Amino acid sequence: MNVTMNPDNHQILSLKTVHFATMEEKNASAVSASGRDQAIISEEGRCGLEYHLNAMTKEDFMDMLKQWQNENQTKLEVDPYRKVDPDGTIATKIYFESYIGQLEENRKTIEAYYADAYQEAVSNPLGNSTTAVLSYIAGRYLCSWSGYFNGNMPANERKWSYIQLTAMINGSGVALNDPYALAASGGPKTVEQMDRIARQAVKEKLDALLREGEAV
């Protein structure tokens, strides 16, 4: 799983199953932090779009989870949840599942949003090779001189379309803070919002276990 974050606004940006960013990728991204949040358009080649982001490594994510677990364990020593989850195992499992589930839900929503544009891209008149499809996407969303350019779409929305469709074609993780794809579902969630949702899921699960124990 690959999770990319913008430290300025604490928004989760991308998710890819199984692969986390490496420390080398994170350090390389940090070096270019001064260019963060900028989309640089070039007319050369395929009018390539570059953007600089900081990556969350597997170690970063597990450190965050461990910190939450430690906080939760301390609370368990003084609250009734200790009766149903003495070592915090259930709470940690539910928190992790809720957090990752939210990321996965965003990914599915975004890919569904771009499904039609994706089909258009893979059916383009240039051919169905990866190179041809990516060339079409660049011409469609970045290159104003292209015969396929979509001039009716606002510039920022075109940039997002290019980023997301390129990721889908390459099989990499789509950006999870897409304001257009997630607009209908309330917009991108921040880390804090996702944390609150995960904590609430834990509370509801442990409350249910307590009720079941009292009913016995």
Side-chain angles (χ1 to χ4, degrees), residues 52-64:
H52 306 287
L53 302 169
N54 281 345
M56 173 181 272
T57 65
K58 180 179 180 179
E59 289 73 21
D60 291 334
F61 185 83
M62 295 310 295
D63 284 346
M64 182 180 72

Side-chain angles (χ1 to χ4, degrees), residues 84-110:
V84 293
D85 189 21
D87 60 359
T89 300
I90 296 174
T92 298
K93 179 177 181 291
I94 298 302
Y95 181 91
F96 185 85
E97 290 177 348
S98 174
Y99 203 103
I100 297 302
Q102 292 176 70
L103 297 177
E104 182 66 10
E105 181 179 357
N106 281 355
R107 182 189 66 78
K108 291 179 179 179
T109 298
I110 291 168

Side-chain angles (χ1 to χ4, degrees), residues 8-20:
D8 292 335
N9 58 17
H10 304 290
Q11 287 180 321
I12 295 291
L13 297 183
S14 69
L15 167 70
K16 182 181 179 183
T17 304
V18 178
H19 174 66
F20 275 96

Side-chain angles (χ1 to χ4, degrees), residues 81-209:
Y81 294 141
R82 187 178 182 184
K83 298 177 182 178
V84 293
D85 189 21
D87 60 359
T89 300
I90 296 174
T92 298
K93 179 177 181 291
I94 298 302
Y95 181 91
F96 185 85
E97 290 177 348
S98 174
Y99 203 103
I100 297 302
Q102 292 176 70
L103 297 177
E104 182 66 10
E105 181 179 357
N106 281 355
R107 182 189 66 78
K108 291 179 179 179
T109 298
I110 291 168
E111 291 185 353
Y113 179 85
Y114 288 103
D116 289 344
Y118 176 88
Q119 288 302 319
E120 176 188 273
V122 298
S123 304
N124 78 86
L126 298 178
N128 58 8
S129 69
T130 299
T131 299
V133 174
L134 292 176
S135 294
Y136 176 81
I137 292 173
R140 181 68 168 163
Y141 300 104
L142 298 183
C143 306
S144 59
W145 42 262
S146 169
Y148 307 110
F149 183 68
N150 184 358
N152 296 323
M153 183 180 290
N156 196 51
E157 187 173 358
R158 286 201 307 271
K159 294 174 186 176
W160 272 106
S161 297
Y162 174 82
I163 291 171
Q164 303 292 49
L165 290 171
T166 298
M168 291 169 69
I169 294 299
N170 287 329
S172 57
V174 294
L176 299 186
N177 67 331
D178 188 329
Y180 299 97
L182 297 176
S185 58
K189 294 186 181 74
T190 64
V191 170
E192 288 79 7
Q193 289 172 323
M194 296 175 70
D195 175 72
R196 284 196 297 271
I197 292 172
R199 288 173 183 266
Q200 181 62 29
V202 170
K203 182 179 184 302
E204 291 175 359
K205 176 63 176 180
L206 297 182
D207 283 344
L209 292 175

